[in-house]
Amino acid sequence: MASQWQRDNDDGPADRSPHFFKIILPKAVQEGKLRIPDKFVQKFGVDLSDMAFLTIPNGRKWKVKLTQHAGGVWFQNDWSEFASSHGVAVGHLLVFKYEGNSHFDVLIFDATATEIDYTLDDELQVHRIKDDESDDSSVEIIKQFYRGEGSGSAHPKKDGGVAENIVIANAFKSENPLFTVIIRPSYVNGNDRASLPQDIINYLPREGFNKDYTKASILPVKLQIVDRLWPVKLYIYERSGGSSCVVSAGWSAFVRENSLRVGDVCVFELIMRDGVMLNVHIFKCQD
């Protein structure tokens, strides 16, 4: 499915609006705030006020306060409400398109690198915060940040290379079907399971499945890295809201033996050879 921005520009010139993207890391969820990239702030900060307007593709707008501290500019007050309303979690990717005057269009991609289904509202509304929480002085603080007058210096926030890994993974090409997964905390905490993109179900064979007490359809597969194999099982669940695919029964061994961590990006390449095989390409975060 084409994104909203792509659909809007199919018949027109290439979109020249500035963009940046953010990978949601555990610290952002814990602290309830999200840092705007310093390079963006240095270039466009004089245009920012103390309030940002975030618009998602269904047209709903949210009003989020901008704050400046720790040498950076952050989406903060009411950011947590925006994030929770759209199920934003660790491993999600958010793309911001700057429309000027503190207005951003936002696309949200889940941990499988798939754009989410945005909840439709009965009426478009602006999410407002109390007037007494607005502080015009923060506008000047942000402008000072660009001129180098702030108390903190501008240093890029290190994300361990997650963003670069997403770009590289999405650029990976193959004649075989590819499925991208960003490693989330629940995938590496010993639960022996991880979710795979739903689309993989369309490429699996119709035969070879078994059933168990969970009423899932189970297919034995192998994960491959170079010449080493890990036997696992795919569990396909059919629910009223749609199908889902989980890799388990051997996943934890694969995680442990390949030292997977939160934020690593895995590209699963589906190969039909002696049954179903998933050739795994891992793009790891830096220390």
Side-chain angles (χ1 to χ4, degrees), residues 48-220:
L48 297 175
S49 66
D50 63 334
M51 292 293 174
F53 294 85
L54 309 181
T55 304
I56 58 176
N58 67 7
R60 186 175 182 188
K61 296 181 180 179
W62 295 73
K63 196 174 182 181
V64 177
K65 190 179 179 86
L66 293 179
T67 62
Q68 190 272 326
H69 60 89
V73 177
W74 307 71
F75 296 115
Q76 191 157 359
N77 292 25
D78 289 300
W79 168 258
S80 292
E81 185 172 350
F82 170 84
S84 62
S85 295
H86 301 99
V88 175
V90 173
H92 283 203
L93 168 70
L94 276 64
V95 182
F96 295 81
K97 181 174 75 169
Y98 187 52
E99 298 288 5
N101 205 25
S102 294
H103 285 70
F104 297 84
D105 288 342
V106 185
L107 293 181
I108 304 172
F109 297 83
D110 64 20
T112 68
T114 302
E115 188 173 6
I116 69 169
D117 292 327
Y118 303 94
T119 302
L120 296 177
D121 298 307
D122 293 332
E123 60 180 16
L124 303 182
Q125 59 180 332
V126 175
H127 183 76
R128 304 183 182 278
I129 69 175
K130 296 179 181 179
D131 291 339
D132 60 5
E133 290 184 2
S134 177
D135 182 3
D136 291 339
S137 64
S138 60
V139 179
E140 184 61 26
I141 290 175
I142 292 174
K143 291 181 179 179
Q144 288 174 356
F145 179 78
Y146 297 108
R147 297 196 296 261
E149 299 172 9
S151 59
S153 58
H155 295 289
K157 179 178 176 61
K158 296 181 179 179
D159 65 358
V162 179
E164 290 83 355
N165 286 343
I166 287 288
V167 173
I168 296 171
N170 287 339
F172 187 84
K173 303 297 182 184
S174 172
E175 295 180 353
N176 301 310
L178 300 172
F179 309 93
T180 302
V181 173
I182 303 171
I183 299 301
R184 306 174 65 173
S186 60
Y187 297 172
V188 294
N189 64 3
N191 284 342
D192 193 31
R193 58 186 287 128
S195 295
L196 297 183
Q198 181 183 3
D199 288 350
I200 195 173
I201 299 173
N202 299 327
Y203 295 89
L204 296 175
R206 299 298 180 185
E207 65 280 350
F209 285 90
N210 299 312
K211 291 281 188 178
D212 74 348
Y213 68 94
T214 66
K215 298 183 179 180
S217 297
I218 305 172
L219 180 68

